[in-house]
């Protein structure tokens, strides 16, 4: 044993690290750890062998002997702790895998703890990404204990540093595989890891892995999340070396700054789904023919195109691309007449802005104004969609970029647009993370102050809420200057909104440390200038108060003080010098270590003002005053009177004048305040009158538009009436034409029949005009009479047709259809059965086709029978009765035409009125 110890201690540490005997290795590890702890800094020569040959540490962390392994990992921790960033960067590639495989899965608790501490030191000293990258492949190991041990280590890492320092995305992507593992220990450790991640990320982590889990696993995790939601927000438990250094520097500057830095480091990270998701190329996945469908005149085609775009673009993160045409098309959709298309277009803008974030800022100028214009829509669904899209666009840009458009639309005459714009500005102030500048604060305050004089209560409350939110951001002290002139009721309401507002930005005052460093130089300059001006003014007042006889000793010291500073400070009149000396000391402290010679000159001038005003005997520069003082001042007497007479400026008269001036100044200030109050009242009255004027203008415009609409309706009615008149005239001309055709046909058949037709037609027209009202009141009788006449004409012999059965008159007759006419023709008997043996009677449309069968005698007999039938007063006819029936039919058709004409005249009269 003794020989072995001597041999081991004599070997270099590098050889002992690779020795075959585990005791030699263990002793080497222990001695190396002590050496590292005793080094003064990171550049000590003790670290060089282990930095140059980093492969030594691979055998240390994977030592086959568990006791030696434990000491070796402790030595690694000491090496990392005292070796600094260089020790971490040189060794992490060879140690992390070994720590994950053998250190974290060791059976010894001390070894596990040392391995975890080594991983935490790697992250603390350098960075976390390489460590997580080395640990991810270990989660695919074939041994469940290695996977479970690394999951436990990852849980501890996130618990110590949080997701702000350690990127959770690579770990979250492996969770579905961990939950699908066959080993229950692995699944249990995966659940613990998910719970720890949920403490930091909340719902933002779900889109990355939630859909890949089984429903049962989702339910179990939801129950686990319910318990996590009740816990407090997590905080970083372990600081990085960089954070520790920053806090140390801040502590030297001041305790308050150190506390702020400490709080900033411990604040929980705000990470959403955008930070965790991978960007997707939405531009290439856009629906085919999107622009063509958006140019369609059918609103359904446009809606389908917008819905298809929304499905593609509704992803957590979008890869940047040339979306110029898409944004321009969506901006045009804001003017769509269909409100459903407007809502879907607003939803598309919202998802694009949320997916592109900062990349969407270049499209703000093209899309913001059209959306603000469309806020006039009163439907809540449309207003909500536009509001969400506006909020998404604001998050992509900032408050300064949007203020110009917001101020413009806050002056819009449409109250709905003005109200929604005010709501949008309130949301912007609550969501912004950077406080507005002083000029922007002034502009916002002025615009919102004008809203306090609006006629509607909603806009007045909106203006008060804007001022309250701005007060929450900027502070009450900075906002007081903008609230001057407001009554107490409005100030109280603004204060209430300020107390209840929840904002993300705070206007922090500038640090107090730098100003004193820059302050001393200007103070020195001011101190030098003041005595110079005092010396110039004092000699002008000296001739009056040079020789007070009774109080000769007091004035003498001030004269000497003007030249000799130490003697003046120790002058005999202690009572008169004590009070000003205290004031001098305060002035010196405030001004800083400037010129000690100049400050006493000021101090001596002030006590002289208090001592000399009482004895102001008017003594010239005669020899009596000078002869009485030759003892103490033989030579300095003539130049010294210049600084001494300075107290003459503080006479009682001048004090009275000063009091008068102060009273006058206060009176003027009160008068100015009254004028400002009256001016603010007048301004409010002017604003109210302007609002009333604007309302009257809107009413007048509305009335003018309604009058124009009525005139347009009247013009349309007149045009319809003219069209109806033209139609009536056309029908009249058509009726005249039919009459002429009827008379022409009758004359062509026979002159006698034509003459009888003329007489009978006149009689028929007279009867029809008397019965027109009956025909108008009972239009259903037309069809009945027409059908009846058809049936009466059906069984007539000879198959002849009257002249009223022409095609043009069948159209006018509503009761006679083309099919019925064909049936009548088919039912008529052949021409041979006619007793007269004549041809068809009518307009040349006979039932028989042979023209030679009739003779002139039979035709003459037929005409005679027709004349006898017409002349018969009882309406009797010849044996056939066909002519009389045809004349009755003609009378009925004519009466129907007249009835229709009367109907059209009545319609024309109704349209005119």
């Amino acid at each position: 044993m003794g020989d072995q110890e001597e041999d081991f201690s004599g070997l270099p540490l590098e050889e002992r690290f690779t020795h075959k005997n585990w005791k030699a290795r263990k002793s080497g590890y222990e001695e190396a750890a002590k050496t590292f702890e005793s080094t003064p800094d990171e550049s000590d020569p003790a670290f060089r062998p282990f930095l140059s040959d980093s492969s030594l540490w691979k055998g240390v962390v994977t030592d086959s002997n568990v006791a030696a392994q434990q000491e070796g990992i402790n030595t690694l921790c000491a090496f990392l702790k005292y070796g600094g960033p260089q020790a971490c960067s040189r060794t992490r590639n060879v140690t992390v895998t070994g720590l994950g495989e053998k250190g974290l899965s060791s059976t010894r608790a001390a070894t596990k703890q040392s391995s975890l501490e080594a991983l935490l030191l790697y992250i603390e000293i350098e960075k976390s990404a390489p460590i997580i990258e080395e640990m991810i492949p270990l989660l695919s190991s074939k041994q469940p204990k290695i996977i479970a041990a690394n999951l436990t280590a990852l849980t501890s890492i996130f618990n110590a540093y949080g997701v702000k320092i350690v990127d959770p995305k690579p770990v979250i992507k492996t969770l579905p595989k961990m939950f699908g593992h066959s080993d229950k220990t692995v699944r249990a450790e995966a659940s613990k890891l998910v719970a720890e991640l949920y403490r930091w990320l909340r719902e933002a982590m779900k889109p990355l892995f939630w859909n890949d889990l089984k429903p049962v696993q989702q339910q179990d995790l939801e129950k686990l999340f319910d318990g996590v939601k009740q816990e407090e927000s997590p905080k970083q438990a372990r600081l990085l070396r960089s954070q520790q250094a920053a806090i140390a520097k801040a502590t030297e500057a001041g305790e308050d700054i150190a506390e702020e830095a400490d709080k900033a480091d411990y604040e929980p990270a705000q990470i959403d789904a955008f930070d965790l998701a991978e960007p997707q190329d939405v531009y290439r996945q856009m629906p085919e023919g999107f622009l063509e469908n958006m140019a369609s005149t059918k609103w359904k085609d446009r809606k389908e195109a917008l819905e298809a775009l929304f499905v593609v673009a509704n992803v957590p993160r979008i890869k940047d691309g040339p979306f110029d045409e898409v944004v321009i098309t969506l901006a045009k959709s804001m003017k769509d007449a269909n409100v459903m298309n407007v809502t879907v277009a607003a939803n598309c803008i919202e998802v694009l802005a949320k997916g592109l974030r900062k990349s969407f800022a270049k499209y703000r100028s093209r899309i913001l104004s059209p959306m603000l214009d469309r806020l006039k829509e009163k439907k809540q669904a449309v207003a909500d969609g536009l509001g969400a899209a506006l909020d998404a666009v604001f998050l992509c840009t900032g408050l300064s970029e949007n203020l110009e458009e917001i101020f413009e639309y806050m002056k819009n005459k449409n109250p709905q647009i003005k109200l929604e714009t005010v709501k949008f500005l309130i949301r912007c102030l609550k969501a912004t993370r950077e406080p507005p500048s002083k000029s922007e604060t002034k502009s916002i305050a002025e615009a919102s102050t004008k809203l306090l004089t609006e006629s509607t209560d909603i806009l007045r409350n909106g203006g008060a809420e804007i001022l309250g939110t701005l007060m929450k951001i900027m502070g009450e002290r900075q906002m007081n200057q903008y609230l001057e002139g407001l009554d107490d009721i409005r100030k109280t309401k603004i204060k209430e909104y300020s107390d209840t507002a929840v904002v993300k930005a705070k206007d922090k005052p500038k640090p107090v440390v730098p100003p004193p460093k820059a302050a001393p130089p200007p103070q020195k300059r001011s101190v030098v200038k003041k005595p110079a001006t005092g010396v110039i003014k004092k000699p002008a007042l000296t001739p009056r108060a040079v020789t007070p006889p009774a109080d000769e000793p007091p004035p003498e010291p001030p004269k000497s003080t003007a030249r000799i500073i130490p003697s003046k400070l120790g002058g005999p009149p202690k009572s008169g010098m004590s009070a000003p000396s205290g004031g001098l000391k305060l002035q010196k402290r405030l001004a800083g270590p400037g010129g000690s010679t100049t400050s006493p000159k000021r101090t001596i001038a002030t006590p002289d003002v208090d001592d000399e005003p009482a004895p102001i005997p008017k003594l010239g520069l005669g020899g009596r005053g000078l002869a009485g003082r030759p003892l103490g001042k033989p030579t300095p007497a003539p130049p010294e009177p210049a600084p001494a007479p300075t107290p003459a400026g503080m006479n009682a008269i001048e004090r009275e004048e000063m009091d008068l001036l102060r009273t006058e100044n206060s009176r003027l200030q009160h008068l100015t305040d009254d004028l400002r109050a009256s001016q603010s009242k007048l301004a409010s009255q002017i604003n109210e009158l302007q609002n009333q004027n604007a309302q009257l203008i809107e009413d007048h415009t509305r009335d003018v538009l309604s009058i124009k609409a009525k005139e347009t309706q009247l013009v349309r009615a007149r045009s319809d009436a003219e069209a109806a008149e033209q139609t009536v005239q056309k029908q009249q001309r058509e009726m005249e034409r039919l009459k002429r055709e009827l008379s022409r046909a009758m004359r062509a058949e026979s002159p006698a029949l034509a003459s009888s037709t003329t007489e009978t037609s006149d009689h028929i027209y007279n009867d029809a005009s008397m019965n027109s009202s009956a025909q108008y009141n009972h239009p259903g009788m037309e069809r009945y009479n027409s059908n009846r006449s058809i049936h009466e004409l059906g069984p007539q012999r000879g198959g002849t047709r009257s002249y009223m059965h022409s095609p043009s008159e069948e159209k006018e007759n509503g009761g006679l259809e083309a099919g019925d006419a064909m049936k009548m023709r088919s039912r008529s008997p052949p021409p041979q059965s006619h007793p007269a043996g004549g041809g068809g009677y009518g307009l040349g449309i006979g039932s028989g086709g042979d023209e030679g069968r009739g003779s002139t005698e039979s035709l003459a007999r037929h005409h005679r029978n027709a004349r006898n039938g017409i002349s018969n007063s009882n309406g009797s006819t010849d044996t056939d009765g066909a002519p009389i029936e045809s004349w009755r039919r003609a009378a009925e058709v004519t009466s129907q035409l007249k009835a229709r004409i009367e109907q059209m005249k009545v319609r024309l009269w109704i349209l005119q009125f």
Side-chain angles (χ1 to χ4, degrees), residues 239-429:
L239 295 179
L240 301 176
R241 286 284 178 90
S242 58
Q243 294 173 337
Q244 296 173 12
I247 293 176
K249 291 181 181 179
T251 306
E252 296 176 0
E255 295 181 358
D256 297 336
I257 302 176
E259 291 178 359
E260 291 179 2
D262 194 6
K263 291 179 181 178
D265 291 333
Y266 278 89
E267 283 182 358
Q270 296 180 356
I271 299 178
D272 56 4
F274 179 84
D275 300 323
L276 300 176
E278 295 291 335
Q280 299 185 16
D281 194 354
V282 173
Y283 184 77
R284 293 186 178 181
Q285 299 176 5
M286 286 183 60
E288 297 181 359
F290 171 75
L291 298 177
E292 291 78 4
N293 293 332
M294 290 300 299
S296 176
T297 56
K298 296 181 180 180
W299 68 271
K300 289 186 178 180
D301 295 342
R302 299 194 298 272
K303 183 183 177 184
E304 291 176 357
L306 290 171
E307 289 176 347
L309 176 63
F310 177 79
V311 172
V312 174
N314 190 16
V315 294
R317 192 168 185 175
I318 299 175
K319 184 179 179 181
D320 191 14
F323 291 96
D324 301 80
E325 295 183 359
V326 178
V327 173
I328 293 173
T329 304
L330 294 175
K332 292 180 180 179
S333 298
M334 293 294 106
K335 300 180 181 180
D336 202 306
N338 193 301
V339 294
M340 298 177 65
N341 291 346
V342 175
T343 306
V344 181
N347 296 336
C348 293
I349 295 171
E350 179 185 1
V351 296
L352 284 175
K354 288 182 177 179
L356 291 171
R357 290 289 175 92
K358 296 299 181 182
S359 301
F360 193 81
K362 55 188 174 183
Y363 308 120
R364 182 200 61 82
S365 58
R366 298 180 179 179
I367 200 67
L368 187 62
S369 296
M371 287 195 295
L372 291 174
D373 281 328
R374 193 63 184 191
L375 288 175
K376 62 185 177 181
E377 195 66 40
K378 294 184 179 180
K379 291 187 177 181
Q380 192 61 35
V382 181
D384 294 342
L386 291 172
L390 288 171
D391 294 344
V393 173
F394 169 76
L395 293 176
C396 298
T397 55
L399 184 62
S400 303
E401 292 85 347
N402 299 292
L403 280 180
E404 184 178 355
E405 287 84 355
I406 291 175
F407 289 153
E408 180 181 355
Y409 282 91
M410 283 176 66
K411 301 175 185 178
N412 198 288
K413 294 182 179 180
N414 192 317
Q416 185 68 20
I417 294 178
K418 186 182 294 186
L419 175 61
E420 294 297 332
T421 307
V422 169
K423 292 180 180 179
F424 175 50
L425 178 57
I426 294 171
R427 296 195 301 269
C428 292
L429 291 174

Side-chain angles (χ1 to χ4, degrees), residues 530-547:
K530 288 182 179 178
T533 55
V535 172
I536 294 170
K537 292 180 180 178
K538 288 176 183 177
L541 300 174
T542 51
R544 292 186 180 179
V546 175
T547 60

Side-chain angles (χ1 to χ4, degrees), residues 573-591:
K574 296 180 180 180
S575 60
M577 295 296 292
S578 61
S581 65
L584 289 173
K585 292 177 181 179
L586 293 175
Q587 290 176 358
K588 290 179 182 179
R589 291 175 184 175
L590 293 174

Side-chain angles (χ1 to χ4, degrees), residues 594-730:
S596 61
T597 57
T598 56
S599 59
K601 290 180 181 178
R602 293 182 181 176
T603 57
I604 295 167
T606 54
D608 294 341
V609 173
D610 296 336
D611 294 340
E612 292 182 359
I616 303 180
K618 293 185 179 179
L619 297 176
L621 297 173
R624 187 180 65 174
L626 297 173
R629 304 176 187 174
L631 298 175
K633 331 166 193 181
T635 52
E640 287 174 0
T646 54
M650 300 299 294
N651 293 340
I653 297 173
E654 293 179 354
R655 289 179 180 176
E656 292 178 0
E657 292 180 357
M658 182 67 70
D659 295 337
L660 291 175
L661 290 175
R662 287 175 180 174
T663 54
E664 184 67 18
N665 187 18
S666 62
R667 188 180 65 80
L668 291 175
Q669 287 180 353
H670 289 301
L671 180 61
T672 304
D673 295 337
D674 295 338
L675 291 176
R676 286 178 180 175
S678 61
Q679 184 180 3
S680 62
K681 291 181 181 179
L682 291 175
S684 62
Q685 292 178 1
I686 290 171
N687 290 330
E688 291 178 359
L689 291 175
Q690 288 177 352
N691 294 331
Q692 293 177 3
N693 187 21
Q695 187 66 30
L696 292 174
I697 291 173
E698 290 181 1
D699 297 340
H700 176 68
T701 305
R702 194 182 303 108
D703 295 339
V704 170
L705 292 176
S706 62
I707 291 171
K708 290 183 179 180
K710 297 293 184 183
E711 291 178 353
T712 304
Q713 294 177 0
L714 182 59
V715 170
R716 291 178 180 176
R718 287 178 180 173
S719 62
D720 294 342
E722 292 177 358
E725 288 181 355
Q726 293 177 0
T727 305
V728 170
Q729 293 175 0
K730 183 178 180 181

Side-chain angles (χ1 to χ4, degrees), residues 382-531:
V382 181
D384 294 342
L386 291 172
L390 288 171
D391 294 344
V393 173
F394 169 76
L395 293 176
C396 298
T397 55
L399 184 62
S400 303
E401 292 85 347
N402 299 292
L403 280 180
E404 184 178 355
E405 287 84 355
I406 291 175
F407 289 153
E408 180 181 355
Y409 282 91
M410 283 176 66
K411 301 175 185 178
N412 198 288
K413 294 182 179 180
N414 192 317
Q416 185 68 20
I417 294 178
K418 186 182 294 186
L419 175 61
E420 294 297 332
T421 307
V422 169
K423 292 180 180 179
F424 175 50
L425 178 57
I426 294 171
R427 296 195 301 269
C428 292
L429 291 174
K430 291 181 179 180
T432 183
R433 295 187 179 275
E434 296 182 0
S437 62
K438 291 184 178 180
S439 59
E440 294 171 352
T441 303
K442 182 179 179 181
S443 303
I444 296 172
E446 291 176 354
S448 55
T449 304
K450 293 179 182 179
L451 294 174
L452 298 177
T453 59
E454 289 286 341
S455 58
T456 57
D457 185 59
I458 300 177
L459 289 175
R460 291 196 298 271
N461 293 337
E465 188 172 358
I466 292 174
L467 289 173
T469 308
L470 194 60
M471 181 183 291
K472 186 78 171 183
I473 297 173
M474 305 303 297
E476 186 174 356
R477 182 178 179 182
Q478 295 191 23
M479 289 298 297
N480 286 334
Q481 56 181 334
Y482 306 114
L483 303 182
E484 293 180 358
L486 298 180
D487 52 12
D488 295 336
I489 298 176
R490 290 175 178 172
K491 288 182 179 179
T492 304
K493 184 174 290 186
I494 292 171
K495 191 67 172 62
E496 291 176 357
Y497 280 118
S498 177
D499 295 338
T500 58
V502 179
V503 298
K504 297 181 180 179
K506 286 286 185 179
D507 185 35
K508 297 180 181 179
K510 295 181 180 180
V512 186
V513 179
K517 296 180 181 178
Q523 288 177 353
K524 290 180 181 179
R525 294 177 184 175
S526 62
V527 171
V528 173
K529 290 180 181 178
K530 288 182 179 178

Side-chain angles (χ1 to χ4, degrees), residues 176-194:
K177 185 178 180 180
M178 298 299 101
F179 280 100
H181 202 278
S182 59
D183 190 81
K184 63 179 182 179
T185 307
V186 174
R187 296 195 299 269
E189 294 297 331
S191 299
K192 293 179 182 179
L193 177 59
V194 170

